[in-house]
């Protein structure tokens, strides 16, 4: 890859910023990674078993009728009912990524958009510490409605942290790239530049860890290509959860991630009371899963080399007293009830694991698949899923 | 109800002979409460409650007018009404079912004349509510739907549509809700549907009511808080009642029935309280209008009532509120009603129901969706 002056400067600044945060520069990793790729699909934000894996009531037919044949379904996965454990999106995502409950702290932001910071290493950090994998090959794909989840790329831990972080792809990151580049190049009138500065400042208000607008050079290049293709208006690119698939598929081609987490989220719109938003969003994720699986199968380097781990961040209520029983996910028993589907090389095919399993087992299991130990994970490796 | 109906309680005959004691009155109140609560459990039967409330408001307004004019205690007023054959029907609370022991017509008519009246008046009230409440309710519903549907579909280009509809709905709601209690009291008192649309008179009465009408808006806001809590309670039911998730189907039905009953008890008690307060405030305002010599007040039910009882409204001078005071009163009312709307909207976030947008229990059908 040819590095331009600006991308070089950006990379240098990011490295200095890392050092400046006191989290240490990344030491040389021990070995190159030769294991399978892993794509974690967060089937969020919050879905019940009934509308997803229930054979009769599913709105995700591809998942239920086709993908289950490719791997192993764990229909009774749960989020533990512990003091302080919340059944919500950020919390559930961190349960998956860190393999621990309550492994986060609030960065002082309040309702409705709490910014949680992981306090334990994430899967990205375990992977990048164990293997020589650059940040842009450990990716978090995030939606446009939840900027507070942009910063799950690393935890606060003295042996891990920012040196082993992942990169994030999202419209938030694209806007950072767009405005920063516009300001650097001085593109536009004074008013346009002032507006760009204002927008950039607004975006950076979400950046409670003060990481700044710069991303690694390959990711900046990714965004430049994205802008050339979709323009910068935001009106051309796919929207909602379809955007995440577009980012993921482009990332597969351009950034070649070894570990990627795609945070689907749109079923959560049912908070506002329209049940069709929930069922429709599940159906959309199902279609997007098909696109993603097809994209993997069409790529020689990913075909038969990629394990998919599909798991909801949390369940939803099943409240018979409400007109929309699944409107929320407020720590009810049903909100603790999730599931998981895992398929790919080395994983049992067409099976159902009829045992109660815990959401924190995902991190330990991904570690086992990729050949590292997620030391901080509380859950056990799902031994039963392997061939 | 006909447009020119002279009396809302025409089917209720004089009851001068029957005067129950305190036990009888308590039994009667319990019976009325029980039937009212049961009727509030279902949207269809709650129509009869709407009609019954109109009859109750008329009676309450009449009692309040007489009480204030002649300075008697409530019991003395009731005795005076009982002694006056054309007004004796107002001395007793309206019946749910029968038209009274000495009602006219066939046995069937006597047995169910009261229910028929309640239902007729209920539908007449619904007609008024359809004009005053349903439009803003529909706008709020459409604004909510359009806004969130657009957000779901990420239609940035028309993101303004939902909020615009919602804000139009809110402004309409503020105007309609400021009018509604006085309009309904006027309709109930006059006993004709068209009275609700006597906009000039109702606005004048609102002015004469002064801070009392602001107080009524405050009461609505206070009474809306338990409705908000009742709507929100199911959301957190597993925290409130930890055994809820383990209930079997029968247990769930029993639990839901108890919850519905609790809601109906509150809704019935709240609407009776609010409508009676509205009727009393209306009575005071109407007396002031009569004292002020308002031309439109002559020929109203209030005027006829006082005439039948051979009493005259006070001749004391009535000061009408100035422009600044009217502005203050209006602003205070609007702020309080805005509070009610906020509770409705936040309540919808907690526990959404499409019906709730157009039928809020304290305003429209006395039934919790």
């Amino acid at each position: 890859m040819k590095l331009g002056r600006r991308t070089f400067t950006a990379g240098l600044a990011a490295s200095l910023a890392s050092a400046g945060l006191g989290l240490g520069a990344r030491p040389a990793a021990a070995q190159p990674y030769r294991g399978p790729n892993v794509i974690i699909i967060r089937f969020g934000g919050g879905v019940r078993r009934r509308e997803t894996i229930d054979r009769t009531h599913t709105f995700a037919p591809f998942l239920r009728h086709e993908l289950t044949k490719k791997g192993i379904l764990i229909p009774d996965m749960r989020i533990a009912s512990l003091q302080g454990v919340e059944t919500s999106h950020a919390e559930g995502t961190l349960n998956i990524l860190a393999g621990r409950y309550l492994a986060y702290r609030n960065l002082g932001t309040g309702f409705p958009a709490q910014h949680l910071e992981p306090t334990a290493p994430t899967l990205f950090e375990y992977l990048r510490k164990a293997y020589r994998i650059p940040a842009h090959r450990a990716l978090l794909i995030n939606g446009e409605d939840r900027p507070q989840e942009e910063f799950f790329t690393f935890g606060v831990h003295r042996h891990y942290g920012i040196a082993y972080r992942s990169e994030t792809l999202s419209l938030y990151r694209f806007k950072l790239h767009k405005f920063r580049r516009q300001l650097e190049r001085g593109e536009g009138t004074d008013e346009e530049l002032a507006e760009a500065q204002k927008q950039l400042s607004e975006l950076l208000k979400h950046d409670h860890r003060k990481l700044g607008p710069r991303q690694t050079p390959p990711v900046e290049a990714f965004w430049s290509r994205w802008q050339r293709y979709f323009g910068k208006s935001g009106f051309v690119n796919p929207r909602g959860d379809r955007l995440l698939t577009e980012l993921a598929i482009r990332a597969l081609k351009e950034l070649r991630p070894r570990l990627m987490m795609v945070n689907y989220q749109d079923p959560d719109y049912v908070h506002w009371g329209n049940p069709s938003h929930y069922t429709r969003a599940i159906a959309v994720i199902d279609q997007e899963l098909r696109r993603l699986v097809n994209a993997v199968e069409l790529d020689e380097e990913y075909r038969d080399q990629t394990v998919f781990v599909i798991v909801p961040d949390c369940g939803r209520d099943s409240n018979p007293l409400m007109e929309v029983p699944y409107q929320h996910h407020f720590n009810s028993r049903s909100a603790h009830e999730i599931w998981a589907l895992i398929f790919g090389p080395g994983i049992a095919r067409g099976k159902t694991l009829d045992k109660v399993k815990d959401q924190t087992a995902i991190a330990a299991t991904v570690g086992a698949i990729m050949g590292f130990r997620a030391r901080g994970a509380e859950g056990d490796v799902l031994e039963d899923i392997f061939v | 109800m006909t447009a020119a109906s002279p009396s809302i309680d025409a089917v209720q005959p004089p009851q001068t002979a029957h005067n129950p004691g305190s036990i009888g009155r308590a039994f009667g109140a319990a019976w009325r409460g029980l039937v009212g609560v049961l009727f509030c459990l279902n949207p269809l039967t709650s129509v009869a409650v709407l009609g019954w409330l109109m009859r109750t408001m008329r009676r309450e307004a009449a009692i309040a007018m007489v009480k204030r004019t002649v300075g008697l205690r409530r019991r003395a007023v009731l005795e005076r009404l009982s002694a006056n054959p054309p007004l004796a029907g107002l001395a007793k609370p309206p019946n749910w079912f029968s038209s009274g022991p000495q009602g006219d017509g066939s046995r069937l008519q006597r047995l169910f004349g009261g229910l028929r009246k309640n239902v007729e008046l209920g539908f007449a009230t619904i007609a008024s509510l359809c004009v005053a409440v349903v439009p803003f309710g529909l706008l709020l519903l459409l604004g909510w739907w359009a806004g969130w549907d657009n957000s779901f579909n990420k239609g940035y280009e028309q993101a303004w549509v939902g909020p615009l509809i919602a804000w139009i709905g809110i402004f309409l709601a503020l105007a309609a809700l400021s009018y509604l209690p006085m309009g309904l009291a006027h309709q109930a008192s006059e006993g004709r549907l068209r009275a609700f649309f006597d906009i000039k008179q109702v606005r004048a009465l609102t002015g004469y009511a002064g801070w009392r009408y602001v107080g009524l808006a405050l009461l609505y806001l206070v009474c809306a808080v338990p409705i908000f809590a009742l709507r929100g309670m199911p959301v957190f039911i597993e925290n409130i009642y930890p055994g809820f998730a383990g209930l079997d189907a029968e247990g769930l039905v029993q639990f839901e029935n108890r919850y519905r009953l609790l809601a109906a008890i509150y809704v019935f008690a709240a609407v009776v309280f609010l409508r009676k307060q509205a009727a009393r405030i209306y009575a005071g305002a109407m007396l002031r209008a009569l004292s002020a010599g308002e031309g439109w007040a002559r020929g109203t039910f209030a005027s006829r009532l006082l005439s039948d009882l051979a009493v005259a409204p006070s001749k004391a001078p009535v000061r009408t509120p100035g422009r600044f005071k009217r502005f203050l009163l209006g602003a205070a009312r609007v702020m309080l009603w805005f509070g009610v709307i906020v509770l409705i909207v936040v309540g919808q976030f907690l526990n959404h129901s499409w019906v709730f947008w157009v039928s809020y229990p304290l305003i429209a059908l006395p039934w919790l969706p």
Side-chain angles (χ1 to χ4, degrees):
Chain A
M1 181 182 292
K2 188 179 172 185
L3 286 179
R5 182 179 55 82
R6 282 197 181 83
T7 48
F8 174 77
T9 311
L12 182 63
S15 304
L16 291 173
S18 307
L21 282 169
L23 294 163
R26 188 181 170 225
Q31 52 188 318
Y33 181 66
R34 302 196 193 286
N37 311 296
V38 171
I39 298 177
I40 303 172
I41 306 291
R42 182 186 83 171
F43 207 117
V47 289
R48 296 198 303 183
R49 294 170 181 165
R50 181 181 165 91
E51 289 81 19
T52 48
I53 57 165
D54 183 304
R55 193 179 287 278
T56 314
H57 300 100
T58 185
F59 284 83
F62 178 65
L63 171 91
R64 184 62 191 89
H65 304 309
E66 295 189 44
L67 289 184
T68 50
K69 290 178 190 165
K70 289 173 175 278
I72 185 161
L73 177 67
I74 306 165
D76 197 1
M77 182 164 274
R78 296 183 190 176
I79 297 170
S81 295
L82 302 171
Q83 183 72 30
V85 168
E86 295 290 332
T87 50
S88 198
H89 316 298
E91 292 85 346
T93 306
L94 289 174
N95 297 343
I96 295 166
L97 272 176
R100 292 180 72 86
Y101 292 113
L102 302 168
Y104 45 77
R105 65 187 181 197
N106 188 5
L107 286 171
T109 53
F111 181 83
Q114 280 192 328
H115 282 62
L116 301 183
E117 178 181 53
T119 52
T122 62
L123 283 172
F124 305 116
E125 294 157 78
Y126 288 124
L127 176 68
R128 291 196 60 218
K129 185 165 187 182
Y131 298 103
R132 196 184 311 144
I133 292 176
H136 67 272
R137 298 190 77 183
L139 285 175
L140 188 64
I141 313 281
N142 206 27
E144 55 190 297
D145 290 338
R146 311 191 72 82
Q148 66 269 35
E149 291 172 10
E150 289 285 322
F151 306 96
F152 293 169
T153 52
F154 66 93
V156 179
H157 194 283
R158 58 188 172 143
H159 298 307
Y160 294 88
I162 193 168
Y164 303 104
R165 74 192 185 282
S166 70
E167 282 288 340
T168 305
L169 299 183
S170 64
L171 279 193
Y172 174 86
R173 301 286 167 162
F174 170 63
K175 289 174 190 168
L176 284 180
H177 164 87
K178 180 178 77 171
F179 292 125
R180 187 184 60 78
R181 197 169 73 158
Q182 183 182 353
L183 289 167
E184 274 185 4
R185 294 182 176 178
E187 292 171 346
T189 62
D190 287 349
E191 289 78 18
E192 285 167 343
L193 289 172
E195 179 60 23
Q197 184 60 59
K198 188 179 156 199
Q199 296 280 347
L200 185 62
S201 302
E202 284 297 315
L203 290 169
L204 289 173
K205 282 183 184 169
H206 295 286
D207 180 9
H208 293 279
R209 299 210 276 191
K210 308 295 177 202
L211 299 175
R214 294 186 186 281
Q215 298 160 79
T216 57
V219 175
E220 295 283 1
F222 176 89
W223 290 129
S224 295
R225 290 190 292 274
W226 177 274
Q227 185 168 324
R228 277 200 296 277
Y229 191 81
F230 287 117
K232 55 182 178 182
S233 67
F235 293 145
V236 181
N237 54 264
R239 304 177 188 191
D241 277 345
R242 290 193 175 90
L243 166 74
L244 274 65
T245 316
E246 187 67 31
L247 287 167
I249 290 175
R250 282 178 169 265
L252 287 176
K253 288 178 186 162
E254 298 176 18
L255 299 175
R256 313 303 282 174
R258 307 308 304 261
L259 174 62
M260 178 165 74
M261 183 176 196
V262 186
N263 285 342
Y264 290 119
Q265 63 188 9
D266 282 352
D268 203 39
Y269 267 94
V270 72
H271 272 307
W272 309 103
N274 189 340
S276 74
H277 288 164
Y278 173 61
T279 52
R280 182 75 202 124
I282 290 173
V284 166
I285 293 176
D286 193 53
Q287 292 156 13
E288 299 306 288
L289 272 176
R290 184 191 289 272
R291 280 183 67 202
L292 203 49
V293 170
N294 286 345
V296 164
E297 288 180 355
L298 286 170
D299 190 311
E300 270 186 30
E301 281 185 40
Y302 282 94
R303 186 191 313 139
D304 299 328
Q305 294 292 326
T306 304
V307 175
F308 279 84
V309 179
I310 307 173
V311 60
D313 44 5
C314 61
R316 297 201 85 83
D317 300 341
S318 295
N319 192 328
L321 297 180
M322 292 173 66
E323 195 170 305
V324 185
Y326 40 83
Q327 190 175 343
H328 304 295
H329 44 82
F330 290 166
N331 242 354
S332 65
R333 186 172 77 179
S334 174
H336 283 262
E337 295 172 348
I338 54 169
W339 49 269
L341 175 65
I342 304 174
F343 61 92
I347 308 295
R349 293 175 68 91
K351 288 195 172 176
T352 299
L353 181 56
D354 280 324
K355 292 179 183 171
V356 178
K357 295 292 174 187
D358 195 271
Q359 192 181 34
T360 55
I362 294 293
T365 306
V366 169
I369 292 168
M370 302 191 86
F372 61 82
R373 186 166 162 236
R375 294 171 192 279
E378 292 166 338
D380 298 325
V381 174
L382 298 167
E383 303 281 1
D384 302 329
I385 69 166
F386 296 107
V387 176
Chain B
M1 182 195 291
T2 59
S5 166
S7 168
I8 204 168
D9 273 319
V11 295
Q12 192 150 330
Q15 296 175 21
T16 49
H18 183 63
N19 194 4
S22 56
I23 294 175
R25 281 199 301 275
F27 179 78
W31 167 250
R32 284 190 298 278
L34 176 68
V35 175
V37 166
L38 292 177
F39 277 10
C40 285
L41 285 168
N42 183 292
L44 285 178
T45 49
S46 70
V47 174
V49 181
L50 270 185
W52 183 86
L53 286 169
M54 295 299 266
R55 297 170 71 192
T56 302
M57 284 173 85
R58 186 176 207 249
R59 175 175 182 262
E60 205 60 39
I63 293 169
M65 281 188 243
V66 178
K67 214 171 131 182
R68 287 183 193 186
T69 308
V70 295
L72 292 173
R73 299 180 70 159
R74 186 178 176 93
R75 183 167 298 181
V77 171
L78 293 176
E79 283 167 3
R80 193 155 175 180
L81 288 171
S82 296
N84 196 318
L87 304 172
L90 294 167
K92 300 280 176 201
N95 290 333
W96 282 113
F97 297 104
S98 73
S99 54
Q102 296 158 25
D104 296 330
S106 68
R107 183 180 168 80
L108 193 67
Q109 282 173 324
R110 283 202 303 277
L111 275 176
F112 294 105
L115 180 63
R116 183 182 160 188
K117 196 74 191 167
N118 290 333
V119 172
E120 282 176 3
L121 288 170
F123 279 112
T125 312
I126 286 176
S128 303
L129 294 172
C130 279
V131 175
V133 175
V134 172
F136 80 72
L138 280 176
L139 283 171
L140 290 176
L141 182 156
L142 285 172
W144 183 269
W145 173 81
W148 291 116
D149 196 63
N150 188 68
S151 181
F152 175 73
N153 290 298
K154 300 286 182 288
Y156 310 116
E157 296 88 339
Q158 59 272 356
W160 52 273
V161 175
L164 178 70
I165 295 172
W167 277 110
I168 294 172
I170 288 170
F171 283 119
L172 201 58
L174 292 173
L177 291 173
S178 294
Y179 181 91
L180 190 77
M182 192 63 85
L184 281 180
H186 189 54
Q187 179 182 348
S189 180
E190 290 300 299
R192 54 188 177 85
L193 171 58
R194 281 189 202 164
F196 183 81
F197 304 98
D198 292 342
I199 294 171
K200 191 180 156 194
Q201 287 93 319
V202 172
R203 283 192 62 192
L205 287 166
T206 301
Y208 283 119
W211 287 104
R212 289 184 189 84
Y213 199 50
V214 176
L216 184 65
L218 177 63
L219 287 179
Y220 265 94
L221 177 58
V222 171
C223 290
V225 173
I227 296 283
F228 175 79
L230 279 165
R231 291 283 301 163
M233 191 176 79
V235 180
F236 306 102
I237 196 67
E238 288 188 33
N239 298 317
I240 299 167
Y241 182 69
F244 182 80
L247 290 176
D248 58 14
E250 194 184 336
L252 275 176
V253 170
Q254 284 178 3
F255 191 95
E256 183 166 3
N257 287 343
R258 284 202 296 271
Y259 165 70
R260 298 271 167 217
L261 186 64
L262 175 71
I265 289 170
Y266 175 73
V267 167
F268 182 68
V271 290
V272 169
F273 171 72
L274 289 170
R275 297 298 171 89
K276 281 188 173 180
Q277 293 304 319
R280 288 171 193 148
I281 290 165
Y282 169 83
M286 183 54 96
L287 288 177
R288 287 166 74 86
L290 285 167
S291 296
E294 292 277 12
W296 55 263
R298 288 194 293 272
T300 57
F301 165 72
S303 171
R304 291 196 307 275
L305 173 78
L306 299 185
S307 171
D308 285 351
L309 291 172
V311 293
S314 162
K315 296 291 182 193
V318 175
R319 285 179 60 195
T320 50
R323 189 174 292 179
F324 180 68
K325 189 178 176 188
R326 282 205 305 274
F327 169 78
L328 272 184
L329 292 169
R333 276 201 313 269
V334 161
M335 281 171 62
L336 291 164
W337 282 113
F338 185 74
V340 175
I341 294 168
V342 167
L343 285 177
I344 293 174
V345 173
V346 178
Q348 288 287 49
F349 168 71
L350 281 179
N351 185 0
H352 188 261
S353 161
W354 295 116
V355 176
F356 202 69
W357 289 115
V358 288
S359 184
Y360 184 67
L362 300 182
I363 295 166
L365 287 178
W367 157 74
L368 195 73

